[in-house]
Amino acid sequence: MRTVQTNMFEGTKRLQMNDSIDLTIQSLQAYGPKYNYWCVAWSGGKDSTTLVTLVVYLIISKKIQPPKKIFIMYADTRLELTPLFVAAQTIMDELAEHGYQVEVVMASLENRFLTYILGRGVPPPNNATFRWCTSRIKIEPMQSALEDLVGTLGEKVLMLTGVRQGESAIRDSRIVLSCSKNGAECGQGWYQETLPESLCDTLAPILHWRVCHVWEWLKHWAPLPEYGDFSTELIADAYGGDEAEEINARTGCMGCPLTDKDTALDNLLKKVKWQYLEPLKRLRPIFREMRKPQYRLRKTGLEESNEKNKQRMGPLTMAARKRFFKEILSIQEDINAGAKRSGMPYVILLNAEEQKFIKECWANNLWPNKWTGEEPTADTPMDTVYPDGSIQPLIQFGD
Ligand code: SF4
């Protein structure tokens, strides 16, 4: 049986841990009893995994009064980094052993990251103007699952989130609700900000936890039988293993086009057992490539519209969708050849159902709203049309 080692420094850490846990207990005791039902939004990242395992431990050890029922909703974006995905599956089984069934919440087939791009032709999100992903693949599915749940229960639930602000939470009690750059999970805080008050009130019981306590919990406490016997140490690999705390990597979708570096993936690839995931490094460049004019359509500016940007670039051409579909499948094949060789988990970027759906979109000539597919490709030279409708002809060079 595993035990917690004790020495002077460990003793101090233990005291601090106990303080953090005590504050969590107090917050759950203060707000929890006002609700018959609790719900946990679990992304599989370090903070929400800490929350979910901690809450279950506090209930089974009778340190808090449980609600009538607790619903755990795992948000699966279909692009979770492999060790996080594998860890989540294992922890789900362990939660089931404790009597807690997890509901997997996923966007509908047409709204998933890759099907939306490759099926409908919508370009990948970018930082500046077009960030459709977080709401479409994370927030809306959770909101819709919550609507169903609250509809069935007939009353509001208390939504527990893994939002964490460390010591600043105690200092000024402000919660920053955006996607933080470092050390955060993409979308962290968004549940807190966006889930409607009519469905739930939100509580962040680990708001005050420091990152070192999160790692202490995941690596050393939660895996012990007396704290729930959870395989939470598996999560550390996705954040840099033993150096996870120093690296403080942000996790999100594999190949996230909104970041400059694949920090989490790069750290993972330093470990021999995960090196078969190397082909994933090709994902982000593909998303970048997709945004280039030669793969997309453009409005001529002569159409009837109130748009300011009359000649805006739009969806991916059918040829581009087919090309990138093949490239993404080849990444999947290359990874899984390695997985087979090394006996590691397979990665399914596009499952059979998603592939079929994408091909149906092509067969149905599906385009985003306000696009027909008849528009020219965006690299076609054309007259410039200004927002007021005036036109500057294309400069023609003589023969
Ligand atoms: S990780 Fe990146 S791609 Fe995924 S939802 Fe967040 S911003 Fe979008």
Side-chain angles (χ1 to χ4, degrees), residues 52-74:
V52 83
T53 51
L54 180 68
V55 169
V56 168
Y57 154 68
L58 293 175
I59 291 174
I60 57 183
S61 60
K62 301 196 170 27
K63 293 194 186 308
I64 56 170
Q65 182 67 30
K68 266 193 191 162
K69 186 160 181 188
I70 179 159
F71 298 89
I72 303 171
M73 293 185 177
Y74 170 66

mmCIF file with all atom_site columns, all heavy atoms in Angstrom, residues 52-74:
data_model
loop_
_atom_site.group_PDB
_atom_site.id
_atom_site.type_symbol
_atom_site.label_atom_id
_atom_site.label_alt_id
_atom_site.label_comp_id
_atom_site.label_asym_id
_atom_site.label_entity_id
_atom_site.label_seq_id
_atom_site.pdbx_PDB_ins_code
_atom_site.Cartn_x
_atom_site.Cartn_y
_atom_site.Cartn_z
_atom_site.occupancy
_atom_site.B_iso_or_equiv
_atom_site.pdbx_formal_charge
_atom_site.auth_seq_id
_atom_site.auth_comp_id
_atom_site.auth_asym_id
_atom_site.auth_atom_id
_atom_site.pdbx_PDB_model_num
ATOM 1   N N   . VAL A 1 52 ? -13.027 17.047 -9.113  1.00 0.00 ? 52 VAL A N   1
ATOM 2   C CA  . VAL A 1 52 ? -13.949 15.919 -9.142  1.00 0.00 ? 52 VAL A CA  1
ATOM 3   C C   . VAL A 1 52 ? -13.510 14.826 -8.155  1.00 0.00 ? 52 VAL A C   1
ATOM 4   O O   . VAL A 1 52 ? -14.323 14.264 -7.419  1.00 0.00 ? 52 VAL A O   1
ATOM 5   C CB  . VAL A 1 52 ? -14.144 15.415 -10.592 1.00 0.00 ? 52 VAL A CB  1
ATOM 6   C CG1 . VAL A 1 52 ? -13.078 14.474 -11.058 1.00 0.00 ? 52 VAL A CG1 1
ATOM 7   C CG2 . VAL A 1 52 ? -15.473 14.748 -10.773 1.00 0.00 ? 52 VAL A CG2 1
ATOM 8   N N   . THR A 1 53 ? -12.212 14.553 -8.112  1.00 0.00 ? 53 THR A N   1
ATOM 9   C CA  . THR A 1 53 ? -11.746 13.493 -7.210  1.00 0.00 ? 53 THR A CA  1
ATOM 10  C C   . THR A 1 53 ? -11.825 13.960 -5.757  1.00 0.00 ? 53 THR A C   1
ATOM 11  O O   . THR A 1 53 ? -12.141 13.179 -4.864  1.00 0.00 ? 53 THR A O   1
ATOM 12  C CB  . THR A 1 53 ? -10.308 13.055 -7.562  1.00 0.00 ? 53 THR A CB  1
ATOM 13  O OG1 . THR A 1 53 ? -9.467  14.216 -7.652  1.00 0.00 ? 53 THR A OG1 1
ATOM 14  C CG2 . THR A 1 53 ? -10.268 12.319 -8.885  1.00 0.00 ? 53 THR A CG2 1
ATOM 15  N N   . LEU A 1 54 ? -11.554 15.237 -5.547  1.00 0.00 ? 54 LEU A N   1
ATOM 16  C CA  . LEU A 1 54 ? -11.618 15.770 -4.187  1.00 0.00 ? 54 LEU A CA  1
ATOM 17  C C   . LEU A 1 54 ? -13.046 15.730 -3.642  1.00 0.00 ? 54 LEU A C   1
ATOM 18  O O   . LEU A 1 54 ? -13.283 15.310 -2.496  1.00 0.00 ? 54 LEU A O   1
ATOM 19  C CB  . LEU A 1 54 ? -11.094 17.211 -4.194  1.00 0.00 ? 54 LEU A CB  1
ATOM 20  C CG  . LEU A 1 54 ? -11.088 17.947 -2.868  1.00 0.00 ? 54 LEU A CG  1
ATOM 21  C CD1 . LEU A 1 54 ? -10.078 17.332 -1.905  1.00 0.00 ? 54 LEU A CD1 1
ATOM 22  C CD2 . LEU A 1 54 ? -10.753 19.432 -3.077  1.00 0.00 ? 54 LEU A CD2 1
ATOM 23  N N   . VAL A 1 55 ? -13.990 16.147 -4.464  1.00 0.00 ? 55 VAL A N   1
ATOM 24  C CA  . VAL A 1 55 ? -15.383 16.170 -4.006  1.00 0.00 ? 55 VAL A CA  1
ATOM 25  C C   . VAL A 1 55 ? -15.843 14.756 -3.665  1.00 0.00 ? 55 VAL A C   1
ATOM 26  O O   . VAL A 1 55 ? -16.467 14.524 -2.627  1.00 0.00 ? 55 VAL A O   1
ATOM 27  C CB  . VAL A 1 55 ? -16.308 16.836 -5.064  1.00 0.00 ? 55 VAL A CB  1
ATOM 28  C CG1 . VAL A 1 55 ? -17.771 16.612 -4.728  1.00 0.00 ? 55 VAL A CG1 1
ATOM 29  C CG2 . VAL A 1 55 ? -16.021 18.322 -5.152  1.00 0.00 ? 55 VAL A CG2 1
ATOM 30  N N   . VAL A 1 56 ? -15.479 13.802 -4.520  1.00 0.00 ? 56 VAL A N   1
ATOM 31  C CA  . VAL A 1 56 ? -15.879 12.418 -4.244  1.00 0.00 ? 56 VAL A CA  1
ATOM 32  C C   . VAL A 1 56 ? -15.205 11.916 -2.959  1.00 0.00 ? 56 VAL A C   1
ATOM 33  O O   . VAL A 1 56 ? -15.841 11.287 -2.110  1.00 0.00 ? 56 VAL A O   1
ATOM 34  C CB  . VAL A 1 56 ? -15.568 11.513 -5.462  1.00 0.00 ? 56 VAL A CB  1
ATOM 35  C CG1 . VAL A 1 56 ? -15.689 10.036 -5.101  1.00 0.00 ? 56 VAL A CG1 1
ATOM 36  C CG2 . VAL A 1 56 ? -16.515 11.847 -6.604  1.00 0.00 ? 56 VAL A CG2 1
ATOM 37  N N   . TYR A 1 57 ? -13.925 12.249 -2.814  1.00 0.00 ? 57 TYR A N   1
ATOM 38  C CA  . TYR A 1 57 ? -13.235 11.849 -1.570  1.00 0.00 ? 57 TYR A CA  1
ATOM 39  C C   . TYR A 1 57 ? -13.933 12.468 -0.345  1.00 0.00 ? 57 TYR A C   1
ATOM 40  O O   . TYR A 1 57 ? -14.166 11.791 0.668   1.00 0.00 ? 57 TYR A O   1
ATOM 41  C CB  . TYR A 1 57 ? -11.748 12.275 -1.622  1.00 0.00 ? 57 TYR A CB  1
ATOM 42  C CG  . TYR A 1 57 ? -11.162 12.489 -0.259  1.00 0.00 ? 57 TYR A CG  1
ATOM 43  C CD1 . TYR A 1 57 ? -10.963 11.408 0.614   1.00 0.00 ? 57 TYR A CD1 1
ATOM 44  C CD2 . TYR A 1 57 ? -10.840 13.773 0.194   1.00 0.00 ? 57 TYR A CD2 1
ATOM 45  C CE1 . TYR A 1 57 ? -10.463 11.609 1.900   1.00 0.00 ? 57 TYR A CE1 1
ATOM 46  C CE2 . TYR A 1 57 ? -10.352 13.982 1.464   1.00 0.00 ? 57 TYR A CE2 1
ATOM 47  C CZ  . TYR A 1 57 ? -10.161 12.898 2.315   1.00 0.00 ? 57 TYR A CZ  1
ATOM 48  O OH  . TYR A 1 57 ? -9.692  13.100 3.585   1.00 0.00 ? 57 TYR A OH  1
ATOM 49  N N   . LEU A 1 58 ? -14.275 13.744 -0.426  1.00 0.00 ? 58 LEU A N   1
ATOM 50  C CA  . LEU A 1 58 ? -14.899 14.418 0.731   1.00 0.00 ? 58 LEU A CA  1
ATOM 51  C C   . LEU A 1 58 ? -16.251 13.787 1.067   1.00 0.00 ? 58 LEU A C   1
ATOM 52  O O   . LEU A 1 58 ? -16.643 13.716 2.230   1.00 0.00 ? 58 LEU A O   1
ATOM 53  C CB  . LEU A 1 58 ? -15.066 15.921 0.455   1.00 0.00 ? 58 LEU A CB  1
ATOM 54  C CG  . LEU A 1 58 ? -13.757 16.717 0.347   1.00 0.00 ? 58 LEU A CG  1
ATOM 55  C CD1 . LEU A 1 58 ? -14.035 18.159 -0.045  1.00 0.00 ? 58 LEU A CD1 1
ATOM 56  C CD2 . LEU A 1 58 ? -12.961 16.658 1.649   1.00 0.00 ? 58 LEU A CD2 1
ATOM 57  N N   . ILE A 1 59 ? -16.934 13.323 0.025   1.00 0.00 ? 59 ILE A N   1
ATOM 58  C CA  . ILE A 1 59 ? -18.228 12.682 0.280   1.00 0.00 ? 59 ILE A CA  1
ATOM 59  C C   . ILE A 1 59 ? -18.023 11.294 0.890   1.00 0.00 ? 59 ILE A C   1
ATOM 60  O O   . ILE A 1 59 ? -18.615 10.968 1.921   1.00 0.00 ? 59 ILE A O   1
ATOM 61  C CB  . ILE A 1 59 ? -19.071 12.588 -1.018  1.00 0.00 ? 59 ILE A CB  1
ATOM 62  C CG1 . ILE A 1 59 ? -19.501 13.995 -1.451  1.00 0.00 ? 59 ILE A CG1 1
ATOM 63  C CG2 . ILE A 1 59 ? -20.298 11.705 -0.810  1.00 0.00 ? 59 ILE A CG2 1
ATOM 64  C CD1 . ILE A 1 59 ? -20.219 14.056 -2.780  1.00 0.00 ? 59 ILE A CD1 1
ATOM 65  N N   . ILE A 1 60 ? -17.126 10.502 0.272   1.00 0.00 ? 60 ILE A N   1
ATOM 66  C CA  . ILE A 1 60 ? -17.003 9.122  0.787   1.00 0.00 ? 60 ILE A CA  1
ATOM 67  C C   . ILE A 1 60 ? -16.353 9.091  2.174   1.00 0.00 ? 60 ILE A C   1
ATOM 68  O O   . ILE A 1 60 ? -16.586 8.176  2.948   1.00 0.00 ? 60 ILE A O   1
ATOM 69  C CB  . ILE A 1 60 ? -16.286 8.154  -0.202  1.00 0.00 ? 60 ILE A CB  1
ATOM 70  C CG1 . ILE A 1 60 ? -14.902 8.660  -0.573  1.00 0.00 ? 60 ILE A CG1 1
ATOM 71  C CG2 . ILE A 1 60 ? -17.107 7.925  -1.438  1.00 0.00 ? 60 ILE A CG2 1
ATOM 72  C CD1 . ILE A 1 60 ? -14.181 7.772  -1.602  1.00 0.00 ? 60 ILE A CD1 1
ATOM 73  N N   . SER A 1 61 ? -15.572 10.129 2.481   1.00 0.00 ? 61 SER A N   1
ATOM 74  C CA  . SER A 1 61 ? -14.950 10.151 3.818   1.00 0.00 ? 61 SER A CA  1
ATOM 75  C C   . SER A 1 61 ? -15.840 10.883 4.828   1.00 0.00 ? 61 SER A C   1
ATOM 76  O O   . SER A 1 61 ? -15.410 11.172 5.945   1.00 0.00 ? 61 SER A O   1
ATOM 77  C CB  . SER A 1 61 ? -13.575 10.815 3.742   1.00 0.00 ? 61 SER A CB  1
ATOM 78  O OG  . SER A 1 61 ? -13.728 12.144 3.282   1.00 0.00 ? 61 SER A OG  1
ATOM 79  N N   . LYS A 1 62 ? -17.060 11.249 4.356   1.00 0.00 ? 62 LYS A N   1
ATOM 80  C CA  . LYS A 1 62 ? -18.073 11.886 5.209   1.00 0.00 ? 62 LYS A CA  1
ATOM 81  C C   . LYS A 1 62 ? -17.612 13.234 5.773   1.00 0.00 ? 62 LYS A C   1
ATOM 82  O O   . LYS A 1 62 ? -17.999 13.642 6.862   1.00 0.00 ? 62 LYS A O   1
ATOM 83  C CB  . LYS A 1 62 ? -18.473 10.945 6.351   1.00 0.00 ? 62 LYS A CB  1
ATOM 84  C CG  . LYS A 1 62 ? -19.049 9.618  5.881   1.00 0.00 ? 62 LYS A CG  1
ATOM 85  C CD  . LYS A 1 62 ? -19.778 8.935  7.016   1.00 0.00 ? 62 LYS A CD  1
ATOM 86  C CE  . LYS A 1 62 ? -20.600 7.739  6.643   1.00 0.00 ? 62 LYS A CE  1
ATOM 87  N NZ  . LYS A 1 62 ? -20.277 6.949  5.519   1.00 0.00 ? 62 LYS A NZ  1
ATOM 88  N N   . LYS A 1 63 ? -16.756 13.919 5.014   1.00 0.00 ? 63 LYS A N   1
ATOM 89  C CA  . LYS A 1 63 ? -16.326 15.242 5.475   1.00 0.00 ? 63 LYS A CA  1
ATOM 90  C C   . LYS A 1 63 ? -17.307 16.321 5.028   1.00 0.00 ? 63 LYS A C   1
ATOM 91  O O   . LYS A 1 63 ? -17.289 17.429 5.532   1.00 0.00 ? 63 LYS A O   1
ATOM 92  C CB  . LYS A 1 63 ? -14.917 15.542 4.957   1.00 0.00 ? 63 LYS A CB  1
ATOM 93  C CG  . LYS A 1 63 ? -13.877 14.617 5.587   1.00 0.00 ? 63 LYS A CG  1
ATOM 94  C CD  . LYS A 1 63 ? -12.480 15.105 5.349   1.00 0.00 ? 63 LYS A CD  1
ATOM 95  C CE  . LYS A 1 63 ? -11.429 14.137 5.841   1.00 0.00 ? 63 LYS A CE  1
ATOM 96  N NZ  . LYS A 1 63 ? -11.571 13.697 7.224   1.00 0.00 ? 63 LYS A NZ  1
ATOM 97  N N   . ILE A 1 64 ? -18.098 16.011 4.039   1.00 0.00 ? 64 ILE A N   1
ATOM 98  C CA  . ILE A 1 64 ? -19.176 16.933 3.661   1.00 0.00 ? 64 ILE A CA  1
ATOM 99  C C   . ILE A 1 64 ? -20.463 16.129 3.489   1.00 0.00 ? 64 ILE A C   1
ATOM 100 O O   . ILE A 1 64 ? -20.428 14.933 3.213   1.00 0.00 ? 64 ILE A O   1
ATOM 101 C CB  . ILE A 1 64 ? -18.880 17.716 2.352   1.00 0.00 ? 64 ILE A CB  1
ATOM 102 C CG1 . ILE A 1 64 ? -18.578 16.751 1.192   1.00 0.00 ? 64 ILE A CG1 1
ATOM 103 C CG2 . ILE A 1 64 ? -17.776 18.719 2.529   1.00 0.00 ? 64 ILE A CG2 1
ATOM 104 C CD1 . ILE A 1 64 ? -18.513 17.430 -0.159  1.00 0.00 ? 64 ILE A CD1 1
ATOM 105 N N   . GLN A 1 65 ? -21.545 16.865 3.624   1.00 0.00 ? 65 GLN A N   1
ATOM 106 C CA  . GLN A 1 65 ? -22.861 16.254 3.445   1.00 0.00 ? 65 GLN A CA  1
ATOM 107 C C   . GLN A 1 65 ? -23.142 16.158 1.949   1.00 0.00 ? 65 GLN A C   1
ATOM 108 O O   . GLN A 1 65 ? -23.087 17.167 1.241   1.00 0.00 ? 65 GLN A O   1
ATOM 109 C CB  . GLN A 1 65 ? -23.876 17.191 4.131   1.00 0.00 ? 65 GLN A CB  1
ATOM 110 C CG  . GLN A 1 65 ? -25.297 16.729 4.117   1.00 0.00 ? 65 GLN A CG  1
ATOM 111 C CD  . GLN A 1 65 ? -25.475 15.472 4.979   1.00 0.00 ? 65 GLN A CD  1
ATOM 112 O OE1 . GLN A 1 65 ? -24.754 15.269 5.960   1.00 0.00 ? 65 GLN A OE1 1
ATOM 113 N NE2 . GLN A 1 65 ? -26.419 14.635 4.579   1.00 0.00 ? 65 GLN A NE2 1
ATOM 114 N N   . PRO A 1 66 ? -23.378 14.975 1.415   1.00 0.00 ? 66 PRO A N   1
ATOM 115 C CA  . PRO A 1 66 ? -23.616 14.907 -0.039  1.00 0.00 ? 66 PRO A CA  1
ATOM 116 C C   . PRO A 1 66 ? -24.996 15.446 -0.399  1.00 0.00 ? 66 PRO A C   1
ATOM 117 O O   . PRO A 1 66 ? -25.904 15.428 0.440   1.00 0.00 ? 66 PRO A O   1
ATOM 118 C CB  . PRO A 1 66 ? -23.549 13.402 -0.324  1.00 0.00 ? 66 PRO A CB  1
ATOM 119 C CG  . PRO A 1 66 ? -23.884 12.745 0.969   1.00 0.00 ? 66 PRO A CG  1
ATOM 120 C CD  . PRO A 1 66 ? -23.473 13.673 2.073   1.00 0.00 ? 66 PRO A CD  1
ATOM 121 N N   . PRO A 1 67 ? -25.156 15.898 -1.641  1.00 0.00 ? 67 PRO A N   1
ATOM 122 C CA  . PRO A 1 67 ? -26.503 16.288 -2.088  1.00 0.00 ? 67 PRO A CA  1
ATOM 123 C C   . PRO A 1 67 ? -27.308 15.014 -2.362  1.00 0.00 ? 67 PRO A C   1
ATOM 124 O O   . PRO A 1 67 ? -26.781 13.910 -2.228  1.00 0.00 ? 67 PRO A O   1
ATOM 125 C CB  . PRO A 1 67 ? -26.212 17.044 -3.375  1.00 0.00 ? 67 PRO A CB  1
ATOM 126 C CG  . PRO A 1 67 ? -24.959 16.411 -3.901  1.00 0.00 ? 67 PRO A CG  1
ATOM 127 C CD  . PRO A 1 67 ? -24.157 15.981 -2.707  1.00 0.00 ? 67 PRO A CD  1
ATOM 128 N N   . LYS A 1 68 ? -28.553 15.188 -2.819  1.00 0.00 ? 68 LYS A N   1
ATOM 129 C CA  . LYS A 1 68 ? -29.355 14.007 -3.182  1.00 0.00 ? 68 LYS A CA  1
ATOM 130 C C   . LYS A 1 68 ? -28.647 13.208 -4.263  1.00 0.00 ? 68 LYS A C   1
ATOM 131 O O   . LYS A 1 68 ? -28.612 12.009 -4.248  1.00 0.00 ? 68 LYS A O   1
ATOM 132 C CB  . LYS A 1 68 ? -30.710 14.466 -3.749  1.00 0.00 ? 68 LYS A CB  1
ATOM 133 C CG  . LYS A 1 68 ? -31.796 14.530 -2.725  1.00 0.00 ? 68 LYS A CG  1
ATOM 134 C CD  . LYS A 1 68 ? -33.130 14.686 -3.448  1.00 0.00 ? 68 LYS A CD  1
ATOM 135 C CE  . LYS A 1 68 ? -34.210 15.019 -2.435  1.00 0.00 ? 68 LYS A CE  1
ATOM 136 N NZ  . LYS A 1 68 ? -35.387 15.591 -3.075  1.00 0.00 ? 68 LYS A NZ  1
ATOM 137 N N   . LYS A 1 69 ? -28.085 13.948 -5.219  1.00 0.00 ? 69 LYS A N   1
ATOM 138 C CA  . LYS A 1 69 ? -27.346 13.268 -6.278  1.00 0.00 ? 69 LYS A CA  1
ATOM 139 C C   . LYS A 1 69 ? -26.313 14.233 -6.861  1.00 0.00 ? 69 LYS A C   1
ATOM 140 O O   . LYS A 1 69 ? -26.545 15.439 -6.906  1.00 0.00 ? 69 LYS A O   1
ATOM 141 C CB  . LYS A 1 69 ? -28.309 12.795 -7.372  1.00 0.00 ? 69 LYS A CB  1
ATOM 142 C CG  . LYS A 1 69 ? -27.618 11.959 -8.409  1.00 0.00 ? 69 LYS A CG  1
ATOM 143 C CD  . LYS A 1 69 ? -28.557 11.091 -9.216  1.00 0.00 ? 69 LYS A CD  1
ATOM 144 C CE  . LYS A 1 69 ? -27.672 10.294 -10.184 1.00 0.00 ? 69 LYS A CE  1
ATOM 145 N NZ  . LYS A 1 69 ? -28.372 9.541  -11.147 1.00 0.00 ? 69 LYS A NZ  1
ATOM 146 N N   . ILE A 1 70 ? -25.209 13.687 -7.298  1.00 0.00 ? 70 ILE A N   1
ATOM 147 C CA  . ILE A 1 70 ? -24.201 14.524 -7.945  1.00 0.00 ? 70 ILE A CA  1
ATOM 148 C C   . ILE A 1 70 ? -23.995 14.014 -9.373  1.00 0.00 ? 70 ILE A C   1
ATOM 149 O O   . ILE A 1 70 ? -23.862 12.818 -9.598  1.00 0.00 ? 70 ILE A O   1
ATOM 150 C CB  . ILE A 1 70 ? -22.903 14.542 -7.108  1.00 0.00 ? 70 ILE A CB  1
ATOM 151 C CG1 . ILE A 1 70 ? -21.821 15.383 -7.735  1.00 0.00 ? 70 ILE A CG1 1
ATOM 152 C CG2 . ILE A 1 70 ? -22.366 13.190 -6.810  1.00 0.00 ? 70 ILE A CG2 1
ATOM 153 C CD1 . ILE A 1 70 ? -20.781 15.815 -6.714  1.00 0.00 ? 70 ILE A CD1 1
ATOM 154 N N   . PHE A 1 71 ? -24.053 14.935 -10.320 1.00 0.00 ? 71 PHE A N   1
ATOM 155 C CA  . PHE A 1 71 ? -23.908 14.575 -11.734 1.00 0.00 ? 71 PHE A CA  1
ATOM 156 C C   . PHE A 1 71 ? -22.532 15.041 -12.212 1.00 0.00 ? 71 PHE A C   1
ATOM 157 O O   . PHE A 1 71 ? -22.209 16.226 -12.065 1.00 0.00 ? 71 PHE A O   1
ATOM 158 C CB  . PHE A 1 71 ? -25.002 15.246 -12.577 1.00 0.00 ? 71 PHE A CB  1
ATOM 159 C CG  . PHE A 1 71 ? -26.378 14.811 -12.185 1.00 0.00 ? 71 PHE A CG  1
ATOM 160 C CD1 . PHE A 1 71 ? -27.076 15.491 -11.184 1.00 0.00 ? 71 PHE A CD1 1
ATOM 161 C CD2 . PHE A 1 71 ? -26.980 13.717 -12.794 1.00 0.00 ? 71 PHE A CD2 1
ATOM 162 C CE1 . PHE A 1 71 ? -28.344 15.089 -10.800 1.00 0.00 ? 71 PHE A CE1 1
ATOM 163 C CE2 . PHE A 1 71 ? -28.253 13.309 -12.414 1.00 0.00 ? 71 PHE A CE2 1
ATOM 164 C CZ  . PHE A 1 71 ? -28.934 13.993 -11.414 1.00 0.00 ? 71 PHE A CZ  1
ATOM 165 N N   . ILE A 1 72 ? -21.769 14.120 -12.754 1.00 0.00 ? 72 ILE A N   1
ATOM 166 C CA  . ILE A 1 72 ? -20.431 14.491 -13.252 1.00 0.00 ? 72 ILE A CA  1
ATOM 167 C C   . ILE A 1 72 ? -20.481 14.474 -14.773 1.00 0.00 ? 72 ILE A C   1
ATOM 168 O O   . ILE A 1 72 ? -20.831 13.456 -15.382 1.00 0.00 ? 72 ILE A O   1
ATOM 169 C CB  . ILE A 1 72 ? -19.360 13.515 -12.734 1.00 0.00 ? 72 ILE A CB  1
ATOM 170 C CG1 . ILE A 1 72 ? -19.382 13.481 -11.201 1.00 0.00 ? 72 ILE A CG1 1
ATOM 171 C CG2 . ILE A 1 72 ? -17.973 13.911 -13.242 1.00 0.00 ? 72 ILE A CG2 1
ATOM 172 C CD1 . ILE A 1 72 ? -18.514 12.404 -10.581 1.00 0.00 ? 72 ILE A CD1 1
ATOM 173 N N   . MET A 1 73 ? -20.174 15.621 -15.369 1.00 0.00 ? 73 MET A N   1
ATOM 174 C CA  . MET A 1 73 ? -20.245 15.725 -16.831 1.00 0.00 ? 73 MET A CA  1
ATOM 175 C C   . MET A 1 73 ? -18.855 15.944 -17.392 1.00 0.00 ? 73 MET A C   1
ATOM 176 O O   . MET A 1 73 ? -18.224 16.973 -17.124 1.00 0.00 ? 73 MET A O   1
ATOM 177 C CB  . MET A 1 73 ? -21.152 16.883 -17.224 1.00 0.00 ? 73 MET A CB  1
ATOM 178 C CG  . MET A 1 73 ? -22.596 16.630 -16.858 1.00 0.00 ? 73 MET A CG  1
ATOM 179 S SD  . MET A 1 73 ? -23.608 17.949 -17.479 1.00 0.00 ? 73 MET A SD  1
ATOM 180 C CE  . MET A 1 73 ? -25.227 17.370 -17.020 1.00 0.00 ? 73 MET A CE  1
ATOM 181 N N   . TYR A 1 74 ? -18.387 14.980 -18.148 1.00 0.00 ? 74 TYR A N   1
ATOM 182 C CA  . TYR A 1 74 ? -17.054 15.064 -18.736 1.00 0.00 ? 74 TYR A CA  1
ATOM 183 C C   . TYR A 1 74 ? -17.167 15.681 -20.131 1.00 0.00 ? 74 TYR A C   1
ATOM 184 O O   . TYR A 1 74 ? -17.852 15.154 -21.006 1.00 0.00 ? 74 TYR A O   1
ATOM 185 C CB  . TYR A 1 74 ? -16.440 13.660 -18.811 1.00 0.00 ? 74 TYR A CB  1
ATOM 186 C CG  . TYR A 1 74 ? -15.160 13.596 -19.608 1.00 0.00 ? 74 TYR A CG  1
ATOM 187 C CD1 . TYR A 1 74 ? -14.014 14.255 -19.165 1.00 0.00 ? 74 TYR A CD1 1
ATOM 188 C CD2 . TYR A 1 74 ? -15.082 12.885 -20.804 1.00 0.00 ? 74 TYR A CD2 1
ATOM 189 C CE1 . TYR A 1 74 ? -12.836 14.212 -19.892 1.00 0.00 ? 74 TYR A CE1 1
ATOM 190 C CE2 . TYR A 1 74 ? -13.903 12.828 -21.537 1.00 0.00 ? 74 TYR A CE2 1
ATOM 191 C CZ  . TYR A 1 74 ? -12.792 13.494 -21.074 1.00 0.00 ? 74 TYR A CZ  1
ATOM 192 O OH  . TYR A 1 74 ? -11.616 13.449 -21.801 1.00 0.00 ? 74 TYR A OH  1
#
